[in-house]
């Protein structure tokens, strides 16, 4: 899937377009949730996910997100990243909306995410705080 340009940008789920070396660099050096993540982990995570790349029209990759999902009941949006030189243009919001819209035909019961600093961006894409955070648990 490739969508219409976003003022000089486009979003695609074509795995052949992904620059995983660049994604690894972003995540391992600049994403607070993935600092130090090794290249093999990035590649394995991408292989098990629906990947979304943001690309400058006619140019290279400037953003990334992935969704871990069974394509039936549940999805987890993670590793959302926009290159620092391309922030402030609404690309994060557009990326979140494209993920939401791409997954809509699956009629997932839940699409979850975790963020430490982008609540307002995700709220604009329709995400809300979990109604029962006390029911969530984590291992690891």
């Amino acid at each position: 899937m490739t969508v219409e340009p976003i003022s000089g940008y486009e979003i695609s789920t074509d795995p052949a377009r992904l620059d995983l070396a660049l994604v690894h660099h972003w995540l391992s050096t600049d994403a607070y949730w993935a600092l130090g993540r090794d290249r093999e982990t990035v590649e394995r995570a991408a292989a098990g996910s629906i990947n979304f790349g943001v690309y400058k029209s006619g140019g290279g990759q400037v953003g990334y997100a992935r969704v871990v999902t069974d394509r039936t009941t549940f999805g987890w949006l993670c590793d959302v990243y926009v290159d620092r030189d391309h922030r402030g243009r609404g690309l994060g919001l557009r990326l979140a909306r494209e993920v939401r819209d791409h997954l809509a035909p699956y009629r997932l019961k839940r699409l979850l995410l975790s963020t430490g600093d982008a609540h307002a961006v995700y709220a604009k894409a329709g995400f809300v705080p979990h109604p029962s955070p006390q029911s969530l648990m984590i291992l690891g």
Side-chain angles (χ1 to χ4, degrees), residues 100-120:
R100 176 199 66 200
D101 295 348
H102 180 85
L103 297 174
Y106 299 125
R107 298 185 346 237
L108 302 178
K109 183 172 182 173
R110 285 183 189 85
L111 177 60
L112 297 179
L113 63 86
S114 177
T115 183
D117 59 359
H119 297 80

Side-chain angles (χ1 to χ4, degrees), residues 74 109-113 126-136:
F74 177 79
K109 183 172 182 173
R110 285 183 189 85
L111 177 60
L112 297 179
L113 63 86
F127 288 86
V128 298
H130 194 284
S132 303
Q134 70 279 4
S135 69
L136 297 175

